[in-house]
């Protein structure tokens, strides 16, 4: 399948569940991603939609309570630093 079609298919299958990303308990769950190839771009898409022009400062992989999370630290366009929690358990360490 051509790469462009794969990306379009992934974009239609991925949904965002959970909370606002402000903590482990309120992590954004990326549902429908089959691998990191789907999930990582979905994180960026969610951040762009929520915070527009943000600057990514760092990213960390954390295991907490049997789940895997990406903790993405960003600087918003207003200069505020935020840590956004993504629950990546559904696709982490899986290859398509």
């Amino acid at each position: 399948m051509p790469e462009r079609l794969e990306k379009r298919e992934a974009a239609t299958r991925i949904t965002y569940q959970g909370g606002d990303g402000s903590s482990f308990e309120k992590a954004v769950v990326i549902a429908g991603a089959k691998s990191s190839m789907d999930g990582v771009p979905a994180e960026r898409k969610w951040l762009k939609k929520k915070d527009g022009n943000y600057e990514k400062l760092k990213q960390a992989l954390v295991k907490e309570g049997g789940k895997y999370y990406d903790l993405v630290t960003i600087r918003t366009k207003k200069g505020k630093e935020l840590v956004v929690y993504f629950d990546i358990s559904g696709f982490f360490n899986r290859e398509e």
Side-chain angles (χ1 to χ4, degrees):
M1 182 180 298
E3 185 176 338
R4 200 169 48 202
L5 288 177
E6 287 178 18
K7 286 182 181 178
R8 190 176 319 133
E9 179 195 297
T12 59
R13 145 176 106 252
I14 293 172
T15 59
Y16 302 96
Q17 301 171 359
D20 62 3
S22 61
S23 66
F24 288 113
E25 296 78 18
K26 296 179 181 180
V28 176
V29 179
I30 299 174
K34 292 183 179 179
S35 69
S36 294
M37 296 294 286
D38 292 344
V40 172
E43 290 176 359
R44 290 193 297 264
K45 184 176 179 180
W46 188 91
L47 286 166
K48 185 168 178 72
K49 187 172 184 178
K50 183 177 183 297
D51 289 299
N53 293 330
Y54 67 92
E55 176 187 2
K56 182 175 163 184
L57 302 175
K58 62 183 173 180
Q59 184 169 348
L61 174 65
V62 176
K63 186 174 183 183
E64 175 73 23
K67 293 185 177 184
Y68 290 96
Y69 297 88
D70 261 345
L71 276 53
V72 181
T73 304
I74 64 168
R75 181 176 293 123
T76 67
K77 60 187 169 195
K78 294 181 180 178
K80 183 177 179 183
E81 276 193 30
L82 294 175
V83 177
V84 182
Y85 296 73
F86 289 97
D87 180 343
I88 61 169
S89 300
F91 67 86
F92 176 70
N93 228 7
R94 296 187 183 167
E95 292 307 319
E96 195 141 292

